[in-house]
CSV table of all heavy atoms in Angstrom, one decimal:
chain,number,residue,atom,x,y,z
A,5,ILE,N,104.4,97.1,96.8
A,5,ILE,CA,103.0,97.1,97.0
A,5,ILE,C,102.5,95.7,96.6
A,5,ILE,O,102.9,95.2,95.5
A,5,ILE,CB,102.3,98.1,96.1
A,5,ILE,CG1,102.7,99.5,96.6
A,5,ILE,CG2,100.8,98.0,96.1
A,5,ILE,CD1,102.3,100.7,95.7
A,10,VAL,N,95.2,98.8,94.9
A,10,VAL,CA,95.1,100.0,94.2
A,10,VAL,C,94.7,101.1,95.2
A,10,VAL,O,94.0,100.9,96.1
A,10,VAL,CB,94.2,100.0,93.0
A,10,VAL,CG1,94.7,99.0,91.9
A,10,VAL,CG2,92.8,99.7,93.4
A,11,MET,N,95.2,102.4,94.9
A,11,MET,CA,94.7,103.5,95.6
A,11,MET,C,93.8,104.3,94.7
A,11,MET,O,94.1,104.6,93.5
A,11,MET,CB,95.8,104.4,96.1
A,11,MET,CG,95.3,105.6,96.9
A,11,MET,SD,96.6,106.7,97.6
A,11,MET,CE,96.9,107.6,96.1
A,12,GLU,N,92.6,104.6,95.1
A,12,GLU,CA,91.6,105.4,94.4
A,12,GLU,C,91.2,106.6,95.3
A,12,GLU,O,91.1,106.4,96.5
A,12,GLU,CB,90.4,104.6,94.0
A,12,GLU,CG,90.7,103.5,93.0
A,12,GLU,CD,91.1,104.1,91.6
A,12,GLU,OE1,90.6,105.2,91.2
A,12,GLU,OE2,91.9,103.4,90.9
A,13,THR,N,90.9,107.7,94.7
A,13,THR,CA,90.4,108.8,95.4
A,13,THR,C,88.9,109.0,95.0
A,13,THR,O,88.6,109.2,93.8
A,13,THR,CB,91.2,110.1,95.2
A,13,THR,OG1,92.6,109.8,95.5
A,13,THR,CG2,90.7,111.3,96.0
A,14,ILE,N,88.0,108.9,96.0
A,14,ILE,CA,86.6,109.1,95.7
A,14,ILE,C,86.1,110.2,96.6
A,14,ILE,O,86.2,110.1,97.8
A,14,ILE,CB,85.9,107.7,96.0
A,14,ILE,CG1,86.5,106.6,95.2
A,14,ILE,CG2,84.4,107.9,95.8
A,14,ILE,CD1,86.0,105.2,95.5
A,16,GLY,N,87.2,113.0,97.2
A,16,GLY,CA,88.3,113.6,98.0
A,16,GLY,C,88.9,112.7,99.1
A,16,GLY,O,89.8,113.1,99.8
A,17,THR,N,88.5,111.5,99.2
A,17,THR,CA,89.0,110.5,100.1
A,17,THR,C,89.8,109.5,99.4
A,17,THR,O,89.3,108.8,98.5
A,17,THR,CB,87.8,109.8,100.9
A,17,THR,OG1,87.0,110.8,101.5
A,17,THR,CG2,88.3,108.8,101.9
A,18,SER,N,91.1,109.3,99.9
A,18,SER,CA,91.9,108.3,99.3
A,18,SER,C,91.7,107.0,100.0
A,18,SER,O,91.7,106.9,101.2
A,18,SER,CB,93.4,108.7,99.5
A,18,SER,OG,93.6,109.9,98.7
A,19,LEU,N,91.5,105.9,99.2
A,19,LEU,CA,91.3,104.6,99.7
A,19,LEU,C,92.2,103.6,99.1
A,19,LEU,O,92.5,103.6,97.9
A,19,LEU,CB,89.8,104.2,99.4
A,19,LEU,CG,88.7,105.1,99.8
A,19,LEU,CD1,87.4,104.6,99.2
A,19,LEU,CD2,88.6,105.0,101.3
A,20,LEU,N,92.7,102.7,99.9
A,20,LEU,CA,93.4,101.5,99.4
A,20,LEU,C,92.3,100.4,99.2
A,20,LEU,O,91.5,100.1,100.1
A,20,LEU,CB,94.4,101.0,100.4
A,20,LEU,CG,95.7,101.8,100.6
A,20,LEU,CD1,96.6,101.1,101.6
A,20,LEU,CD2,96.4,102.2,99.3
A,34,ALA,N,90.9,100.4,102.9
A,34,ALA,CA,91.4,101.2,104.1
A,34,ALA,C,91.5,102.6,103.6
A,34,ALA,O,91.8,102.9,102.5
A,34,ALA,CB,92.8,100.7,104.4
A,35,GLN,N,91.1,103.5,104.5
A,35,GLN,CA,91.2,104.9,104.2
A,35,GLN,C,92.5,105.5,104.6
A,35,GLN,O,93.1,105.2,105.6
A,35,GLN,CB,90.1,105.7,105.0
A,35,GLN,CG,90.0,107.1,104.7
A,35,GLN,CD,88.8,107.8,105.4
A,35,GLN,OE1,87.9,107.1,105.9
A,35,GLN,NE2,88.8,109.1,105.5
A,36,LEU,N,93.0,106.4,103.7
A,36,LEU,CA,94.3,107.0,103.9
A,36,LEU,C,94.1,108.5,104.1
A,36,LEU,O,93.3,109.1,103.4
A,36,LEU,CB,95.3,106.9,102.7
A,36,LEU,CG,95.6,105.4,102.3
A,36,LEU,CD1,96.5,105.5,101.1
A,36,LEU,CD2,96.4,104.8,103.5
A,37,ASN,N,94.9,109.1,105.0
A,37,ASN,CA,94.9,110.6,105.1
A,37,ASN,C,95.8,111.1,104.1
A,37,ASN,O,96.4,110.4,103.3
A,37,ASN,CB,95.2,111.0,106.6
A,37,ASN,CG,96.6,110.7,107.0
A,37,ASN,OD1,97.5,110.5,106.1
A,37,ASN,ND2,96.9,110.5,108.3
A,38,GLU,N,95.9,112.4,104.0
A,38,GLU,CA,96.6,113.1,103.0
A,38,GLU,C,98.1,112.7,103.0
A,38,GLU,O,98.7,112.4,101.9
A,38,GLU,CB,96.5,114.6,103.1
A,38,GLU,CG,97.2,115.4,102.0
A,38,GLU,CD,97.0,116.9,102.2
A,38,GLU,OE1,96.0,117.3,102.8
A,38,GLU,OE2,97.9,117.6,101.7
A,39,ALA,N,98.7,112.7,104.2
A,39,ALA,CA,100.1,112.3,104.3
A,39,ALA,C,100.3,110.8,103.9
A,39,ALA,O,101.3,110.5,103.2
A,39,ALA,CB,100.6,112.5,105.7
A,40,SER,N,99.4,110.0,104.3
A,40,SER,CA,99.6,108.5,103.9
A,40,SER,C,99.4,108.3,102.4
A,40,SER,O,100.1,107.5,101.8
A,40,SER,CB,98.5,107.7,104.7
A,40,SER,OG,98.7,107.8,106.1
A,41,ALA,N,98.5,109.0,101.8
A,41,ALA,CA,98.3,109.0,100.3
A,41,ALA,C,99.6,109.4,99.6
A,41,ALA,O,100.0,108.9,98.6
A,41,ALA,CB,97.1,109.7,99.9
A,42,TYR,N,100.2,110.5,100.2
A,42,TYR,CA,101.4,111.0,99.6
A,42,TYR,C,102.5,109.9,99.6
A,42,TYR,O,103.2,109.7,98.7
A,42,TYR,CB,101.8,112.2,100.4
A,42,TYR,CG,103.2,112.8,100.2
A,42,TYR,CD1,103.4,113.7,99.1
A,42,TYR,CD2,104.3,112.5,101.0
A,42,TYR,CE1,104.7,114.3,98.9
A,42,TYR,CE2,105.5,113.0,100.8
A,42,TYR,CZ,105.7,113.9,99.7
A,42,TYR,OH,106.9,114.5,99.5
A,43,ILE,N,102.6,109.2,100.8
A,43,ILE,CA,103.6,108.2,100.9
A,43,ILE,C,103.3,107.0,99.9
A,43,ILE,O,104.2,106.5,99.3
A,43,ILE,CB,103.7,107.7,102.3
A,43,ILE,CG1,104.3,108.8,103.2
A,43,ILE,CG2,104.6,106.4,102.5
A,43,ILE,CD1,104.2,108.5,104.7
A,44,TRP,N,102.0,106.7,99.8
A,44,TRP,CA,101.6,105.6,99.0
A,44,TRP,C,102.0,105.8,97.5
A,44,TRP,O,102.5,105.0,96.8
A,44,TRP,CB,100.1,105.3,99.1
A,44,TRP,CG,99.7,104.1,98.3
A,44,TRP,CD1,99.2,104.1,97.0
A,44,TRP,CD2,99.8,102.8,98.7
A,44,TRP,NE1,99.0,102.8,96.6
A,44,TRP,CE2,99.3,101.9,97.7
A,44,TRP,CE3,100.2,102.2,99.9
A,44,TRP,CZ2,99.2,100.6,97.8
A,44,TRP,CZ3,100.1,100.8,100.0
A,44,TRP,CH2,99.6,100.0,99.0
A,45,LYS,N,101.9,107.1,97.1
A,45,LYS,CA,102.3,107.5,95.7
A,45,LYS,C,103.8,107.3,95.5
A,45,LYS,O,104.2,106.8,94.5
A,45,LYS,CB,101.8,108.9,95.4
A,45,LYS,CG,100.3,109.1,95.3
A,45,LYS,CD,100.0,110.5,95.1
A,45,LYS,CE,98.5,110.7,95.1
A,45,LYS,NZ,98.0,112.1,95.1
A,46,MET,N,104.5,107.6,96.6
A,46,MET,CA,106.0,107.4,96.4
A,46,MET,C,106.3,105.9,96.4
A,46,MET,O,107.2,105.5,95.6
A,46,MET,CB,106.7,108.1,97.6
A,46,MET,CG,106.7,109.6,97.5
A,46,MET,SD,107.8,110.4,98.7
A,46,MET,CE,107.0,110.0,100.2
A,47,LEU,N,105.6,105.1,97.1
A,47,LEU,CA,105.8,103.6,97.1
A,47,LEU,C,105.5,103.1,95.7
A,47,LEU,O,106.2,102.3,95.1
A,47,LEU,CB,104.9,102.9,98.1
A,47,LEU,CG,105.3,103.0,99.5
A,47,LEU,CD1,104.2,102.5,100.4
A,47,LEU,CD2,106.5,102.1,99.8
A,48,PHE,N,104.4,103.6,95.1
A,48,PHE,CA,104.0,103.3,93.8
A,48,PHE,C,105.0,103.6,92.7
A,48,PHE,O,105.2,102.9,91.8
A,48,PHE,CB,102.6,103.9,93.4
A,48,PHE,CG,102.1,103.5,92.1
A,48,PHE,CD1,101.4,102.3,91.9
A,48,PHE,CD2,102.2,104.3,91.0
A,48,PHE,CE1,100.9,101.9,90.7
A,48,PHE,CE2,101.7,103.9,89.7
A,48,PHE,CZ,101.1,102.7,89.6
A,49,ASP,N,105.7,104.7,93.0
A,49,ASP,CA,106.8,105.2,92.1
A,49,ASP,C,108.2,104.5,92.4
A,49,ASP,O,109.2,104.9,91.9
A,49,ASP,CB,107.0,106.7,92.2
A,49,ASP,CG,105.8,107.4,91.5
A,49,ASP,OD1,105.1,106.8,90.7
A,49,ASP,OD2,105.6,108.6,91.9
A,56,MET,N,112.3,108.7,100.1
A,56,MET,CA,111.0,109.1,100.7
A,56,MET,C,111.3,109.9,101.9
A,56,MET,O,110.6,110.9,102.1
A,56,MET,CB,110.2,107.9,101.0
A,56,MET,CG,109.6,107.2,99.8
A,56,MET,SD,108.4,105.9,100.2
A,56,MET,CE,109.4,104.5,100.8
A,60,ILE,N,109.8,113.6,102.3
A,60,ILE,CA,108.9,113.9,103.4
A,60,ILE,C,109.5,115.1,104.3
A,60,ILE,O,108.7,116.0,104.7
A,60,ILE,CB,108.6,112.7,104.3
A,60,ILE,CG1,107.8,111.7,103.5
A,60,ILE,CG2,107.9,113.0,105.6
A,60,ILE,CD1,107.8,110.3,104.1
A,64,PHE,N,107.2,118.4,104.3
A,64,PHE,CA,106.4,118.6,105.5
A,64,PHE,C,107.2,119.4,106.5
A,64,PHE,O,106.8,119.6,107.7
A,64,PHE,CB,106.0,117.3,106.1
A,64,PHE,CG,104.9,116.6,105.3
A,64,PHE,CD1,105.2,115.8,104.3
A,64,PHE,CD2,103.6,116.9,105.6
A,64,PHE,CE1,104.2,115.2,103.5
A,64,PHE,CE2,102.6,116.3,104.8
A,64,PHE,CZ,102.9,115.4,103.8
A,75,LEU,N,107.8,107.5,108.7
A,75,LEU,CA,107.7,106.7,107.5
A,75,LEU,C,107.9,105.2,108.0
A,75,LEU,O,107.1,104.4,107.5
A,75,LEU,CB,108.8,107.1,106.5
A,75,LEU,CG,108.9,106.2,105.3
A,75,LEU,CD1,107.6,106.2,104.5
A,75,LEU,CD2,110.1,106.6,104.4
A,78,PHE,N,104.7,103.9,109.5
A,78,PHE,CA,103.6,103.8,108.6
A,78,PHE,C,103.9,102.5,107.7
A,78,PHE,O,103.0,101.7,107.5
A,78,PHE,CB,103.5,105.0,107.7
A,78,PHE,CG,102.4,104.9,106.7
A,78,PHE,CD1,101.1,104.7,107.0
A,78,PHE,CD2,102.7,105.0,105.3
A,78,PHE,CE1,100.0,104.6,106.1
A,78,PHE,CE2,101.7,104.9,104.3
A,78,PHE,CZ,100.4,104.7,104.7
A,82,LEU,N,101.5,99.2,107.3
A,82,LEU,CA,101.0,98.6,106.0
A,82,LEU,C,101.5,97.2,105.8
A,82,LEU,O,100.8,96.4,105.3
A,82,LEU,CB,101.6,99.5,104.8
A,82,LEU,CG,100.9,100.9,104.7
A,82,LEU,CD1,101.6,101.6,103.6
A,82,LEU,CD2,99.4,100.7,104.4
Side-chain angles (χ1 to χ4, degrees):
I5 297 170
V10 296
M11 184 179 78
E12 292 294 329
T13 302
I14 302 169
T17 301
S18 296
L19 303 169
L20 292 183
Q35 184 174 341
L36 299 178
N37 63 26
E38 184 179 333
S40 299
Y42 171 84
I43 293 170
W44 187 265
K45 288 175 187 174
M46 289 190 290
L47 285 165
F48 185 79
D49 291 337
M56 290 189 283
I60 291 166
F64 288 89
L75 177 60
F78 180 62
L82 289 175

